[in-house]
Amino acid sequence: MILHTRFGKLPRTVPRLAATAGGLLIALNVSAALASPIFPHTKIRLTLVQWMPTKGSYEQWAAVGGEYTVSDQGTIIVPLLGAVSVENKDEAGLASAIAKALKEKIGLVDEPAASVEILKYPPIYVVGDVKNPGEYEFRSGMTVLKALALGGGQIRPLDSTTSPEAVIKLVGDAKELDESIMRTAAKIERLEAEMAGQTTFQSKQEPNDAAAVAVHQQEEAIFSARANELSRQTKSLTALRDLLSSEIGVLEEKIKSTDANINSAQQQLSSTIALIERGALVATRQADAERVMRAYQDDRLDLTVLIMRARQSISQTTRDLEGLADKRQTEIASALQSEHALMNSLQLKKATVQKVLMENLSSGASLGPAEKPTLEYRVVQNSGGNDTETPATETTSMAPGDVLKVILIAPSRTTTSISSDTSEPTAQDVGQ
């Protein structure tokens, strides 16, 4: 025997405690007290089986059993029976009622074995002052606190920006923006000096603290490093161009020497041809002289190609040297544009933070311990088509289909003026 509760089933050991008539009565009372009805929109599974003596086995009634969803009127439509009410019935009670109705409808000797299983409860709804209001799946043991957690917890109170923590945070944000503006201004000054082609850089701004001094020193070091890098690249390209020019000079001298060799070989060839014509030399000597002549000519062609390549390298090096400054100017201009845009954004943010901070301070926001807001809970249940709203606490149990209303009760705030000798931040702490 299984006792069904609102959110599950009691262990089989509960009814076994009823060994006597008095114990049995107590067990039945416990079952009746813990059994819960099946709510509208609950999804259930009905299973029906019957013993078939002719086959010697149980046979399932697939045509009648299956999954059903309880309607708004609290009924399910069962084949052969039509609308069956689930009102004031738990799983066991509904299964028993269906089995009896089928026995009477068909005229069976014995009731079929019936069981009802809840597949899915109706959802609950969380509304009001929560971060994520909406519909959520119901689970056994659902309480108001658990439903609040599903809704993401309470929203931030509307006046939280006037809390002491918020004021202190605004002051910190303002000081952080001041530092960012100071850094950006120093970088803009350094980029403008690079754009103007200055050989040295020293910030014109007067640092008012150690942090500003460190930032200006860093920008001066960056300027020197970038200037040295540009100088090294310029010297390297200039030295390469000079080296190529020297190489061309050497190759031209080699061409002059080769031309002299060619002239000498040409004279030698002419003399050899004359002697061969007079019969003083054999014809093979002419071929040797021509071979020497061609070798000198090939050497001259190789030297000419090397000179052309060297001149091409000089042209490329000259273009790189001329484009080095242009490339650096383009990079500086792009960085300068980005820094100006960043400066405008930072100044706008600072003005916004200052305005909010001044409004909070002028409104008399208390810098003492802040009183925390409280939450009020109400559970709305539908019964017979009518909604009933009742107060609840965090431990109140919720049923399927319930609606949880969360209401944030803001604390009463006492306006406190801020004296000039307070240790907490004031409007002057924001900076200019």
Side-chain angles (χ1 to χ4, degrees):
M1 180 176 180
I2 301 177
L3 297 182
H4 296 264
T5 69
R6 186 176 187 180
F7 304 123
K9 301 176 180 179
L10 287 177
R12 295 176 181 271
T13 55
V14 173
R16 291 177 183 173
L17 296 175
T20 64
L24 179 58
L25 179 59
I26 294 175
L28 292 176
N29 290 335
V30 170
S31 175
L34 295 179
S36 64
I38 300 176
F39 299 90
H41 305 292
T42 302
K43 189 175 183 180
I44 64 174
R45 178 185 290 123
L46 172 63
T47 305
L48 293 164
V49 294
Q50 185 179 21
W51 173 256
M52 304 299 292
T54 56
K55 297 181 179 180
S57 62
Y58 284 96
E59 185 174 291
Q60 186 170 346
W61 291 17
V64 180
E67 296 182 0
Y68 298 90
T69 300
V70 181
S71 67
D72 291 331
Q73 292 72 31
T75 61
I76 58 174
I77 305 301
V78 180
L80 303 178
L81 298 180
V84 177
S85 175
V86 302
E87 186 177 359
N88 299 325
K89 296 183 181 69
D90 59 2
E91 297 98 295
L94 179 59
S96 177
I98 292 175
K100 291 179 180 179
L102 287 172
K103 175 184 176 183
E104 296 175 359
K105 181 74 175 182
I106 304 176
L108 300 175
V109 177
D110 298 319
E111 295 179 1
S115 65
V116 172
E117 176 186 3
I118 293 181
L119 300 179
K120 185 177 181 180
Y121 289 102
I124 62 169
Y125 303 88
V126 182
V127 298
D129 297 324
V130 292
K131 293 181 179 178
N132 303 308
E135 172 185 312
Y136 295 94
E137 181 181 353
F138 177 84
R139 295 184 178 88
S140 298
M142 182 68 68
T143 62
V144 167
L145 183 60
K146 292 180 180 179
L148 176 64
L150 291 177
Q154 72 181 58
I155 60 174
R156 188 177 65 175
L158 296 177
D159 63 344
S160 62
T161 56
T162 61
S163 65
E165 294 81 3
V167 172
I168 294 173
K169 183 179 184 301
L170 286 172
V171 173
D173 292 343
K175 290 184 178 180
E176 183 178 350
L177 287 171
D178 281 337
E179 183 177 351
S180 298
I181 289 174
M182 180 265 295
R183 290 179 179 275
T184 303
K187 187 173 182 179
I188 289 176
E189 188 180 10
R190 187 255 300 170
L191 290 172
E192 289 176 344
E194 291 182 353
M195 178 69 75
Q198 298 179 8
T199 56
T200 59
F201 168 69
Q202 187 172 6
S203 177
K204 298 179 182 179
Q205 300 181 23
E206 291 295 335
N208 52 10
D209 54 22
V213 172
V215 169
H216 292 162
Q217 290 177 349
Q218 291 173 1
E219 292 298 330
E220 292 172 2
I222 293 174
F223 179 89
S224 299
R226 286 170 59 84
N228 293 335
E229 180 187 6
L230 180 61
S231 177
R232 285 194 301 269
Q233 291 177 347
T234 303
K235 290 180 180 179
S236 176
L237 291 174
T238 303
L240 176 59
R241 186 173 60 180
D242 295 342
L243 179 61
L244 291 172
S245 298
S246 300
E247 182 180 352
I248 290 176
V250 174
L251 292 173
E252 289 176 345
E253 291 298 324
K254 286 186 176 182
I255 285 180
K256 292 178 182 179
S257 177
T258 303
D259 288 341
N261 291 333
I262 291 175
N263 291 333
S264 176
Q266 183 65 45
Q267 294 175 2
Q268 183 67 30
L269 178 60
S270 299
S271 300
T272 300
I273 293 174
L275 292 174
I276 291 174
E277 290 176 350
R278 292 196 297 267
L281 292 175
V282 295
T284 56
R285 295 294 298 275
Q286 181 180 350
D288 293 339
E290 290 176 348
R291 188 179 302 108
V292 172
M293 180 70 176
R294 286 194 297 271
Y296 286 134
Q297 290 175 341
D298 291 340
D299 290 343
R300 193 183 192 288
L301 289 174
D302 291 340
L303 292 172
T304 302
V305 171
L306 291 175
I307 290 176
M308 293 175 63
R309 290 179 177 173
R311 286 174 178 169
Q312 183 179 7
S313 298
I314 287 177
S315 299
Q316 181 63 44
T317 304
T318 302
R319 287 195 298 271
D320 292 343
L321 188 59
E322 294 174 350
L324 185 62
D326 294 338
K327 182 180 179 181
R328 177 59 63 89
Q329 289 295 98
T330 302
E331 292 176 353
I332 294 173
S334 178
L336 196 56
Q337 184 178 14
S338 299
E339 292 302 319
H340 277 301
L342 177 60
M343 175 65 79
N344 293 335
S345 176
L346 291 173
Q347 289 176 342
L348 179 60
K349 289 180 180 179
K350 178 182 176 181
T352 303
V353 170
Q354 284 181 327
K355 181 179 179 181
V356 174
L357 181 58
M358 293 301 296
E359 289 177 353
N360 289 343
L361 293 177
S362 62
S363 64
S366 173
L367 294 179
E371 183 181 350
K372 294 184 179 180
T374 58
L375 291 179
E376 181 178 303
Y377 306 104
R378 295 182 179 274
V379 175
V380 180
Q381 295 178 327
N382 185 280
S383 178
N386 297 320
D387 290 336
T388 303
E389 183 174 320
T390 57
T393 63
E394 292 182 348
T395 58
T396 300
S397 298
M398 296 192 64
D402 284 355
V403 178
L404 172 63
K405 286 185 177 181
V406 180
I407 304 172
L408 184 66
I409 307 299
S412 58
R413 187 177 61 201
T414 303
T415 302
T416 305
S417 60
I418 303 176
S419 61
S420 58
D421 61 345
T422 179
S423 61
E424 298 293 344
T426 62
Q428 284 73 20
D429 294 328
V430 180
Q432 301 299 326

